[in-house]
């Protein structure tokens, strides 16, 4: 079996395990069909992100970056969002006015943190292709999926019974953040899985903050902007 398929199994399996733990903590008050749909969507997303594991002949030109897979995955997320409801999925420019002040305050703090990290750990100088990719595709693709349609499906499964500083949240916030962390931390090579705990912490924890921003504002706008800023600032400072 190709390594990419093992990674897919580990990614969806780890997310499913997190979902089962959360279901136990929620005392079984889970709509299982929505949870199963979220896991199936992860499989479809991975298939398009990898261009059918190399079998989809789509090529935008010579670039080391996965423009093609990101575009296919984003198209899937937008299609699902259109079916579920664009505004329900966060695909809207409208912001909840009551939550905007707190969201902007957190956004400013995250910008400052990203700038500080970039000044302390500067990245390699980037060419135009790299900057164009980092300023657009990571946030568009990953926020549409993780904080957009995947989060919506998981919220349907678990509900949002808590108010966290004014943002309605539930176990779906945690499960979607685990999924996001795993996709950066989990690998498979030489017949075994690898796991980078630092990568899990550095992506899973910020993912929870991005979930809070999405729920606080009702929109993916700030998460997308912050995500792309965080990816690109290391090449700009």
């Amino acid at each position: 079996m190709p390594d990419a398929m093992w990674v897919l199994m580990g990614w969806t399996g780890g997310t499913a395990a997190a979902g089962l733990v959360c279901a136990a903590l929620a005392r079984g008050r889970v709509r299982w069909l929505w949870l199963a749909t979220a896991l199936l969507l992860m499989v479809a997303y991975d298939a398009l992100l990898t261009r059918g594991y190399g079998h989809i002949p789509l090529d935008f030109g010579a670039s080391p970056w996965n423009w093609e897979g990101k575009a296919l995955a984003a198209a899937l997320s937008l299609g699902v969002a259109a079916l579920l409801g664009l505004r329900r999925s966060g695909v809207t420019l409208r912001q909840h006015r009551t939550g905007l002040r707190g969201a902007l305050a957190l956004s400013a703090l995250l910008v400052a943190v990203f700038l500080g990290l970039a000044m302390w750990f500067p990245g390699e100088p980037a060419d135009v292709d790299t900057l164009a990719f980092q300023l657009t595709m990571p946030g568009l693709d990953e926020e549409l999926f993780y904080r957009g349609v995947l989060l919506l499906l998981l919220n349907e499964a678990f509900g949002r019974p808590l108010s966290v500083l004014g943002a309605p949240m539930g176990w779906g916030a945690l499960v979607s953040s685990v999924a996001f962390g795993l996709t950066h931390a989990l690998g498979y090579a030489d017949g075994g899985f690898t796991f980078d705990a630092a990568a899990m912490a550095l992506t899973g924890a910020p993912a929870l903050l991005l979930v809070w921003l999405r729920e606080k504002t009702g929109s993916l706008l700030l998460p997308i902007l912050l995500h792309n800023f965080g990816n690109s600032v290391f090449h700009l400072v």
Side-chain angles (χ1 to χ4, degrees):
M1 183 184 299
D3 289 355
M5 297 301 295
W6 282 109
V7 172
L8 170 63
M9 292 174 62
W11 180 50
T12 54
T15 304
L20 291 175
V21 170
C22 289
L25 294 172
R27 299 180 181 179
R29 293 191 294 271
V30 180
R31 294 198 282 180
W32 295 101
L33 182 59
W34 286 102
L35 179 57
T37 302
L39 295 172
L40 288 174
L41 182 62
M42 291 175 64
V43 175
Y45 172 82
D46 189 69
L48 290 180
L49 185 63
T50 58
R51 286 176 287 171
Y53 306 102
H55 296 294
I56 297 177
L58 183 64
D59 188 356
F60 293 165
S63 172
W65 298 101
N66 187 22
W67 289 93
E68 300 87 353
K70 289 286 190 182
L72 288 171
L76 170 68
S77 296
L78 283 173
V80 174
L83 289 174
L84 297 175
L86 292 175
R87 288 190 64 183
R88 292 180 66 218
S89 303
V91 185
T92 178
L93 296 178
R94 296 184 63 180
Q95 310 288 305
H96 294 329
R97 291 185 179 181
T98 56
L100 191 55
R101 181 178 297 179
L104 290 175
L106 176 59
S107 298
L109 177 61
L110 290 175
V111 166
V113 170
F114 287 143
L115 279 172
L117 289 173
M119 294 177 67
W120 194 261
F121 304 104
E124 295 294 327
D127 56 22
V128 173
D129 179 53
T130 297
L131 281 177
F133 184 87
Q134 298 296 350
L135 283 166
T136 55
M137 298 310 292
L140 285 172
D141 162 42
E142 294 174 16
E143 295 307 315
L144 279 170
F145 183 71
Y146 289 99
R147 261 68 68 184
V149 292
L150 182 65
L151 178 64
L152 176 56
L153 291 174
L154 292 170
N155 282 341
E156 290 292 337
F158 292 101
R160 296 184 297 172
L162 301 177
S163 178
V164 180
L165 298 177
M169 295 176 70
W171 291 113
L174 180 61
V175 177
S176 66
S177 299
V178 167
F180 186 71
L182 284 175
T183 198
H184 294 85
L186 191 66
Y188 187 89
D190 300 323
F193 285 102
T194 61
F195 180 77
D196 188 332
M200 184 73 188
L202 290 173
T203 54
L208 278 172
L209 297 178
L210 293 177
V211 170
W212 185 86
L213 284 172
R214 183 263 178 270
E215 299 288 27
K216 186 73 171 177
T217 63
S219 170
L220 290 169
L221 178 60
L222 286 177
I224 289 172
L225 293 176
L226 286 167
H227 194 143
N228 285 332
F229 177 78
N231 273 46
S232 59
V233 69
F234 290 89
H235 301 290
L236 296 171
V237 174

